Amino acid sequence: MIDRSILMCLGSGSNPFQHLEKSAVLQEARIFNETPINPRRCLHILTKIIYLLNQGEHFGTTEATEAFFAMTRLFQSNDQTLRRMCYLTIKEMANISEDVIIVTSSLTKDMTGKEDVYRGPAIRALCRITDTTMLQAIERYMKQAIVDKVPSVSSSALVSSLHMVKMSFDVVKRWVNEAQEAASSDNIMVQYHALGLLYHLRKSDRLAVTKMLNKFTKSGLKSPFAYCMMIRIASKLLEETEGGHDSPLFDFIESCLRNKHEMVVYEAASAIVHMPKCTARELAPAVSVLQLFCSSPKAALRYAAVRTLNKVAMKHPSAVTACNLDLENLITDSNRSIATLAITTLLKTGSESSVDRLMKQISSFVSEISDEFKVVVVQAISALCQKYPRKHSVMMNFLSNMLRDDVSSSKDGGFEYKRAIVDCIISIIEENPESKETGLAHLCEFIEDCEHTVLATKILHMLGKEGPRTPTPSKYIRFIFNRVVLESEAVRAAAVSALAKFGAQNDDLLPSVLVLMQRCMMDSDDEVRDRATFYMNVLQQKQKALNAAYIFNGLSVSVPGLEKSLHQYTLEPSEKPFDMKTVPLATAPITEQKTEIAPMATSKLPEKLAPSRQDIYQEQLAAIPEFQGLGPLFKSSEPVQLTEAETEYVVRCIKHTFANHMIFQFDCTNTLNDQLLQRVLVQMEPSESYEVLHYVPAPSLPYSQPSSCYSLVRLPEDDPTAVSCTFSCTMKYLVRDCDPNTGEPDDDGYNDEYVLEDLEVTVADHIQKVLKPNFGAAWEEIGDEFEKEETFALATVRTLDEAVNNIISFLGMQPCERSDKVPENKNSHVLFLAGVFRGGHDVLVRARLALADGVTMQVTVRSTDENVVDVILASVG
Amino acid sequence: MDSAALEPSLYTVKAVFILDNDGNRLLSKYYDPELYPSMKEQKNFETNVFNKTHKADNEIAFLEGMTIVYKSSIDLFFYVVGSAQENELMLMAVLNCLFESLSQMLRKNVEKRTLLDNMDGVFLVVDEIIDGGVILESDPQQVIEKVNYRADDNPLSEQSVVQVLQSAKEQIKWSILK
């Protein structure tokens, strides 16, 4: 044991700046005015001032200005260090003192003087206090300095110029020749800085950048920093031009893999790995240098290598398998970041048998790693669960341990990473029915002590959805009701909704749920009371259809759309009650699981709630006077290409469906820079009894500026089953030739036309996807009044997966209850689809599939309208 | 954020700072005005970084979306911060240059007391290595020549004997504590 008091006395006083008082220091600064100047003392005081500024001490404008002006006297001294500290003070005070330009002449003198030690720093200080107007005055000196033979002077001038590009691009641009000259300097730093400045001046001109690259790749560079810069420029250029990997730029990057500096080799390998569309063969050399780095004694290099390999493993796990042995050696690395990255990489590349071992290894130190890396681990596990569903129990235990440990270690923070865990558990539950009960139990335990409202509500929603359908739903009630007693308003409201779902699904639980609801009706919060009262009344009716409509499957309309419609309704008072069917439907959320989440994807930007694509179209179409009175937009299709990729004109079509009409939006792009197209429209010849009512041409279509024209078509009214139709399309326009450089068109033009591919309208265009979270309840709700059933044989389809995908894309309906995923090794499957037909009729499809030689399919359709049932069956057949 | 390629630029270093073994700031420079604009955010970041790094000498860490390379010497911690996509080896080059330059300037006594006694030289060294986030020089020899700073020669006066003893004591203390 060391005596504490000795430690104390050793510790204090070791920092001469510890108890500095700003006012005392400024007082001391008065000796700047004494003659003769005492360099040592002045130096000490300047150091104190800079130290204070660095500690975040606030200097008022007046006191700062006073000190600054006193400091200017010190230029009379010739002490080198003192002068250098004056430059530093000028830079530090440039923003807080007034009239800093007073030192301009002193600095200009130093910058052009004989003392080389002063020149570089003087340039940097001068540029710090110079603005655009004054820059012109020193332009001559700057140009000279850039090409000065003393490297420090040249570097200083180049870097300062770079800083000023943001402020006075036009002035600095005139120094490009000098920068060019400096780029051939023998000094490695000068070369690097010159290259950087040149790129910033030329980056908008792709041709100039290409020339610059060509020049330096041929002559070679001395500086490894400059090489790194060149690699970045080259890969950016490759990406922009979408150059193939036979391009000389790619060759250059690849040649850098053999550079003698590790920094350059790594930069090149990383550039190759980050290229989109890189094949395994092109990756191989990059991966092998990274593999070498894995055994480097330098931690930074090992880290860099394994981090980059981790990225490769996400897209090309097989390319990294060769490094498995090296990665194994890293899982015990004392740097936990490296170990974590190595393990998560192995989890992606390794086999199922290694999972248990790796998980054990990582759980030994998971508490030591930073939150950023915990997220990486969770994401790796999430991906793993999809790959090896059988391992879910190991994963689930691991995740719940992570949740539990963290709750005890830190109360605050860790949100990102807890959310990642919760998301991961939820996705396991959804993917894997066997894991449902354990997963729900872990989640229940977590919300007992969860300080994040967002997570608690999310879990409660999940419990409400899945809990009632487990064998023993009653055990979840306690956890949910605890929330009603203990938590904030938002969580209590979510708990009430979850309770209602238990009551609606399980008759034997209903009485108890009603009692609990009764208590919630006394809540202090409006929302909680409202929900409780509402559910109470619905539940007391004991009607399956009501339960289905109001408890299990909520609103299917788009919320912004509903808001807009209601607003419109209040503006125009009418006798009629508000009709929900006039509200545009919410486009079903895209439920594609993003498995390729980049590690460390901890973007700090709050997610913006963007208006949906359909809401945007609705706005755009409503702005066109010809399209008034069509009612709400029902559905907008994905764009369909009507031309080949590399043609003169590129046209794609988006089909907008309304109650009785369709609008075809043609997005046209003119790829010829010597033509201006005017009055562009697409003429359509329908094959069925569709009627083209109106064309809205695009007034003008200049080179590479997309523009849209529209066609309005009326759907056949007399025959509601005519849902599919083929249109032959021709684009008609007036061509005016123009000068490719100026874009100036000739005075007269000529009419021309261009034949496009045929456009198909199918049954999917008439159906909007709607997700029914509880399909069974919805099925009962609609009833069998208009039920029809038919059996089909799909001879050409070989697997159940293929059949399921075909049906979904053909009908354009939303698969429910995750029935779009066919379990492995099964010979039969049931697919549930839900949607709304044009005009607002709910339609549900149940397709039983059986696999024999081909696939046999029994389709049962239920809807609120008989025609719709016929349409669906007719189109399937 | 991670997959986006790096815009080619000379602005490599986001921040550099030197902390003592209690995590107090001795020197720090932030070069990206958008990164931790206020003093409070900066100090929070430094505390967080210090807490996560001072126990193990691991050379590199990833925190708050930043790559951080670091090095410790007796009772000092040196940090260089760059963006998540930055070439880690470039940051290492800066850190090594900073450390080597200071080591030469302070005659291998890289510890808090000597550092603070020559704080003016330390400010100048940092200024010569990084200018506004751009790596200005990476060769410690060049840096020392440019700064041309002479650490106190400590002629054996009675005062300096006390100082020598003091610094010896501290060194012993930290070697015991480690």
Side-chain angles (χ1 to χ4, degrees):
Chain A
M1 276 296 284
I2 304 164
D3 191 334
R4 241 195 133 77
S5 59
I6 294 179
L7 264 186
M8 291 297 281
C9 90
L10 278 169
S12 69
S14 65
N15 184 348
F17 300 106
Q18 198 155 41
H19 300 294
L20 280 187
E21 280 278 340
K22 179 181 70 176
S23 49
V25 173
L26 289 175
Q27 192 83 22
E28 284 182 289
R30 291 196 179 154
I31 64 151
F32 292 169
N33 291 318
E34 280 172 17
T35 340
I37 292 168
N38 179 340
R40 255 188 106 79
R41 284 188 64 196
C42 292
L43 189 56
H44 195 57
I45 292 161
L46 274 188
T47 312
K48 283 182 185 171
I49 292 179
I50 297 182
Y51 186 86
L52 281 177
L53 282 168
N54 210 272
Q55 288 295 324
E57 189 81 45
H58 177 75
F59 280 64
T61 313
T62 327
E63 51 191 8
T65 312
E66 208 168 290
F68 187 85
F69 274 71
M71 182 274 300
T72 54
R73 256 202 94 237
L74 303 181
F75 270 90
Q76 290 172 7
S77 160
N78 276 329
D79 185 277
Q80 258 190 28
T81 314
L82 182 61
R83 181 71 60 87
R84 297 288 314 271
M85 286 304 276
C86 285
Y87 300 147
L88 273 194
T89 318
I90 293 171
K91 289 203 272 188
E92 293 287 336
M93 287 198 161
N95 288 335
I96 44 177
S97 164
E98 286 175 335
D99 301 324
V100 283
I101 51 167
I102 189 137
V103 288
T104 305
S105 62
S106 309
L107 289 173
T108 319
K109 210 173 108 206
D110 283 353
M111 152 183 183
T112 50
K114 286 196 193 75
E115 286 269 23
D116 284 345
V117 231
Y118 291 159
R119 290 174 62 204
I123 292 172
R124 291 190 282 128
L126 180 61
C127 289
R128 185 75 179 74
I129 57 166
T130 300
D131 60 22
T132 307
T133 44
M134 280 166 49
L135 189 58
Q136 317 237 358
I138 57 162
E139 184 173 0
R140 189 161 56 93
Y141 303 122
M142 287 300 288
K143 280 183 168 181
Q144 283 168 5
I146 290 176
V147 292
D148 199 284
K149 62 180 189 309
V150 180
S152 74
V153 176
S154 176
S155 270
S156 294
L158 286 163
V159 173
S160 302
S161 311
L162 180 69
H163 294 325
M164 286 187 300
V165 165
K166 284 180 222 116
M167 184 178 78
S168 356
F169 182 80
D170 291 325
V171 182
V172 180
K173 204 173 62 183
R174 296 200 289 255
W175 309 343
V176 77
N177 287 334
E178 282 76 15
Q180 185 84 49
E181 194 180 328
S184 352
S185 160
D186 283 341
N187 182 284
I188 58 169
M189 289 322 276
V190 173
Q191 188 177 53
Y192 171 54
H193 296 138
L195 191 69
L197 179 62
L198 278 176
Y199 174 71
H200 274 273
L201 292 177
R202 287 173 169 172
K203 64 181 165 189
S204 55
D205 181 354
R206 193 181 292 161
L207 197 68
V209 175
T210 317
K211 268 191 197 157
M212 184 174 101
L213 270 181
N214 282 342
K215 182 171 171 228
F216 290 113
T217 47
K218 278 206 195 83
S219 61
L221 294 157
K222 291 205 175 58
S223 155
F225 295 112
Y227 264 112
C228 291
M229 181 79 185
M230 293 269 286
I231 292 171
R232 285 182 201 175
I233 300 175
S235 64
K236 186 166 187 283
L237 213 57
L238 262 180
E239 198 179 324
E240 282 175 357
T241 54
E242 290 172 18
H245 296 140
D246 44 356
S247 137
L249 291 174
F250 185 81
D251 293 342
F252 162 70
I253 297 178
E254 205 185 19
S255 73
C256 289
L257 288 175
R258 294 179 290 278
N259 195 289
K260 64 176 188 295
H261 293 278
E262 280 169 344
M263 187 194 291
V264 180
V265 177
Y266 170 63
E267 184 74 42
S270 159
I272 293 177
V273 166
H274 281 106
M275 275 176 203
K277 297 184 289 187
C278 205
T279 63
R281 199 173 54 84
E282 285 151 353
L283 274 175
V287 170
S288 50
V289 300
L290 292 173
Q291 184 177 8
L292 279 181
F293 288 164
C294 279
S295 44
S296 159
K298 294 179 200 154
L301 191 51
R302 292 199 304 274
Y303 172 89
V306 70
R307 196 165 89 103
T308 314
L309 284 175
N310 193 332
K311 246 169 253 164
V312 183
M314 273 186 264
K315 273 195 227 151
H316 305 276
S318 56
V320 189
T321 341
C323 311
N324 276 2
L325 210 59
D326 306 80
L327 290 170
E328 288 279 351
N329 291 331
L330 293 180
I331 61 179
T332 47
D333 201 294
S334 64
N335 185 327
R336 296 311 191 195
S337 309
I338 296 177
T340 313
L341 285 167
I343 292 181
T344 50
T345 312
L346 281 170
L347 285 176
K348 292 186 190 102
T349 61
S351 63
E352 190 165 358
S353 55
S354 60
V355 168
D356 291 289
R357 187 173 52 84
L358 292 169
M359 300 292 281
K360 206 168 168 188
Q361 180 76 35
I362 200 165
S363 42
S364 66
F365 62 79
V366 75
S367 57
E368 295 171 39
I369 59 182
S370 66
D371 278 6
E372 276 88 347
F373 281 103
K374 286 181 183 164
V375 175
V376 176
V377 173
V378 175
Q379 284 167 348
I381 293 176
S382 184
L384 203 59
C385 289
Q386 293 184 345
K387 209 163 130 198
Y388 305 122
R390 273 183 295 166
K391 287 283 167 201
H392 68 84
S393 61
V394 187
M395 318 280 180
M396 194 68 98
N397 268 330
F398 179 77
L399 290 171
S400 68
N401 282 337
M402 266 174 108
L403 264 183
R404 201 174 305 138
D405 290 350
D406 202 71
V407 167
S408 54
S409 67
S410 67
K411 275 282 169 197
D412 55 327
F415 171 67
E416 279 300 328
Y417 131 74
K418 282 183 196 161
R419 185 172 69 178
I421 298 183
V422 169
D423 285 349
C424 184
I425 294 186
I426 291 183
S427 77
I428 297 178
I429 294 176
E430 286 179 341
E431 293 282 329
N432 214 318
E434 293 158 49
S435 64
K436 194 186 279 179
E437 289 215 41
T438 33
L440 289 180
H442 289 313
L443 292 178
C444 282
E445 193 189 329
F446 174 61
I447 51 169
E448 287 284 289
D449 191 11
C450 168
E451 68 276 27
H452 303 292
T453 310
V454 186
L455 294 181
T457 48
K458 190 167 190 171
I459 292 173
L460 283 168
H461 178 74
M462 183 73 197
L463 284 176
K465 202 170 125 217
E466 300 290 343
R469 284 184 275 175
T470 54
T472 49
S474 56
K475 67 176 176 191
Y476 301 106
I477 301 272
R478 179 174 66 85
F479 290 102
I480 298 175
F481 193 68
N482 279 347
R483 306 277 69 70
V484 177
V485 183
L486 299 169
E487 301 276 353
S488 65
E489 295 81 11
V491 181
R492 293 206 301 270
V496 168
S497 300
L499 274 182
K501 287 182 185 154
F502 281 85
Q505 181 92 17
N506 307 92
D507 290 335
D508 46 333
L509 285 178
L510 186 58
S512 355
V513 169
L514 286 176
V515 173
L516 295 177
M517 282 289 168
Q518 207 111 43
R519 270 198 63 181
C520 299
M521 284 162 70
M522 317 287 186
D523 198 281
S524 58
D525 182 70
D526 289 352
E527 173 71 18
V528 181
R529 274 201 313 274
D530 287 355
R531 285 198 192 189
T533 316
F534 173 73
Y535 290 130
M536 181 86 184
N537 286 308
V538 175
L539 287 171
Q540 278 169 341
Q541 305 300 316
K542 296 191 182 154
Q543 283 184 26
K544 280 242 150 50
L546 275 181
N547 285 349
Y550 295 109
I551 296 181
F552 293 125
N553 301 321
L555 281 179
S556 55
V557 294
S558 100
V559 177
L562 179 62
E563 188 184 347
K564 218 174 282 170
S565 307
L566 285 172
H567 182 63
Q568 196 64 34
Y569 184 74
T570 53
L571 287 183
E572 299 161 8
S574 84
E575 296 295 302
K576 282 190 293 179
F578 180 73
D579 183 7
M580 270 302 253
K581 286 195 176 140
T582 61
V583 182
L585 292 166
T587 30
I590 300 151
T591 46
E592 274 173 61
Q593 281 277 322
K594 279 201 175 167
T595 48
E596 278 186 27
I597 320 161
M600 304 150 202
T602 48
S603 92
K604 287 176 190 155
L605 297 172
E607 284 168 36
K608 256 194 279 176
L609 195 65
S612 75
R613 185 170 153 264
Q614 187 154 350
D615 292 330
I616 297 169
Y617 286 134
Q618 168 97 30
E619 293 271 314
Q620 284 175 356
L621 294 175
I624 300 170
E626 282 86 348
F627 300 151
Q628 297 294 333
L630 297 180
L633 175 59
F634 178 73
K635 181 180 187 179
S636 297
S637 73
E638 291 299 313
V640 184
Q641 297 293 341
L642 295 183
T643 51
E644 303 283 326
E646 306 272 321
T647 46
E648 301 96 308
Y649 313 115
V650 179
V651 180
R652 52 174 212 167
C653 176
I654 300 165
K655 299 172 270 187
H656 301 288
T657 313
F658 291 78
N660 296 309
H661 298 82
M662 285 186 87
I663 292 175
F664 298 92
Q665 173 185 342
F666 297 94
D667 295 335
C668 314
T669 311
N670 170 10
T671 62
L672 300 176
N673 61 0
D674 56 353
Q675 281 192 357
L676 170 71
L677 306 189
Q678 287 181 323
R679 299 203 293 274
V680 184
L681 61 85
V682 176
Q683 190 169 354
M684 305 177 75
E685 298 290 341
S687 66
E688 304 286 327
S689 57
Y690 283 51
E691 186 188 350
V692 182
L693 294 180
H694 199 82
Y695 292 112
V696 178
S700 100
L701 192 61
Y703 164 60
S704 86
Q705 287 175 22
S707 182
S708 302
C709 60
Y710 301 89
S711 309
L712 175 63
V713 169
R714 182 161 60 215
L715 299 170
E717 276 163 23
D718 43 337
D719 180 13
T721 54
V723 287
S724 51
C725 179
T726 307
F727 292 90
S728 45
C729 306
T730 315
M731 183 160 89
K732 302 202 163 180
Y733 46 83
L734 177 78
V735 184
R736 291 173 73 182
D737 292 323
C738 59
D739 187 317
N741 295 323
T742 61
E744 197 65 41
D746 290 350
D747 287 338
D748 42 71
Y750 51 93
N751 284 311
D752 201 354
E753 56 181 57
Y754 188 82
V755 178
L756 305 173
E757 283 171 33
D758 288 353
L759 181 67
E760 302 273 353
V761 172
T762 63
V763 64
D765 293 317
H766 302 271
I767 300 177
Q768 178 66 281
K769 293 180 176 187
V770 171
L771 183 69
K772 300 279 183 193
N774 189 328
F775 187 84
W779 185 254
E780 293 304 321
E781 178 198 348
I782 285 195
D784 55 1
E785 192 185 347
F786 301 115
E787 182 182 287
K788 283 197 182 168
E789 196 169 79
E790 231 172 293
T791 309
F792 303 92
L794 309 174
T796 52
V797 185
R798 288 278 152 248
T799 65
L800 287 177
D801 260 330
E802 198 185 339
V804 165
N805 290 335
N806 281 352
I807 300 169
I808 294 173
S809 65
F810 180 76
L811 288 178
M813 294 171 71
Q814 177 70 34
C816 298
E817 311 271 338
R818 295 192 150 256
S819 60
D820 52 331
K821 301 242 163 69
V822 183
E824 283 173 55
N825 309 324
K826 285 270 181 69
N827 285 328
S828 60
H829 183 68
V830 186
L831 174 67
F832 301 114
L833 295 172
V836 171
F837 195 79
R838 175 168 58 81
H841 301 292
D842 271 324
V843 52
L844 299 175
V845 171
R846 186 183 65 197
R848 297 178 199 270
L849 304 163
L851 184 69
D853 284 338
V855 174
T856 320
M857 169 172 78
Q858 184 193 46
V859 183
T860 317
V861 188
R862 284 185 177 189
S863 169
T864 45
D865 182 78
E866 190 169 9
N867 277 329
V868 177
V869 177
D870 291 336
V871 165
I872 303 257
L873 280 180
S875 60
V876 176
Chain B
M1 67 157 212
D2 205 46
S3 53
L6 210 54
E7 172 71 12
S9 154
L10 294 188
Y11 293 94
T12 306
V13 183
K14 297 268 180 203
V16 55
F17 46 89
I18 305 176
L19 307 180
D20 70 6
N21 57 345
D22 296 319
N24 296 317
R25 165 195 284 201
L26 300 180
L27 176 153
S28 79
K29 299 286 282 173
Y30 288 75
Y31 299 106
D32 183 349
E34 281 158 33
L35 178 80
Y36 310 120
S38 78
M39 192 56 65
K40 193 164 167 261
E41 290 167 288
Q42 294 182 2
K43 293 213 167 163
N44 273 342
F45 175 62
E46 285 162 28
T47 315
N48 185 18
V49 169
F50 181 75
N51 289 339
K52 291 276 162 55
T53 54
H54 75 283
K55 280 181 218 129
D57 198 2
N58 274 336
E59 195 171 298
I60 186 158
F62 185 83
L63 285 167
E64 302 188 21
M66 298 283 158
T67 301
I68 299 152
V69 294
Y70 62 100
K71 198 177 179 77
S72 67
S73 168
I74 311 180
D75 50 359
L76 291 174
F77 289 83
F78 300 85
Y79 297 89
V80 175
V81 181
S83 83
Q85 300 91 337
E86 193 48 74
N87 184 329
E88 290 85 349
L89 301 183
M90 276 180 138
L91 299 176
M92 270 320 271
V94 175
L95 179 68
N96 286 335
C97 176
L98 173 68
F99 187 81
E100 288 301 319
S101 309
L102 291 179
S103 173
Q104 278 197 38
M105 188 178 84
L106 306 174
R107 307 218 176 84
K108 302 234 177 338
N109 289 323
V110 189
E111 46 97 27
K112 186 174 166 186
R113 179 72 208 209
T114 332
L115 185 97
L116 285 170
D117 284 341
N118 298 287
M119 206 56 200
D120 39 359
V122 179
F123 282 128
L124 292 176
V125 162
V126 173
D127 181 63
E128 281 297 346
I129 299 176
I130 310 156
D131 185 272
V134 179
I135 306 176
L136 196 60
E137 182 56 72
S138 63
D139 177 6
Q141 206 50 51
Q142 292 291 325
V143 173
I144 288 300
E145 271 175 37
K146 285 185 196 172
V147 172
N148 193 18
Y149 177 88
R150 289 156 65 82
D152 278 341
D153 280 341
N154 279 342
L156 277 178
S157 61
E158 60 272 69
Q159 189 222 356
S160 64
V161 171
V162 176
Q163 271 186 4
V164 168
L165 276 178
Q166 172 96 359
S167 103
K169 261 195 238 167
E170 297 231 337
Q171 297 219 15
I172 292 165
K173 182 182 83 179
W174 292 117
S175 59
I176 298 169
L177 277 184
K178 272 245 155 173

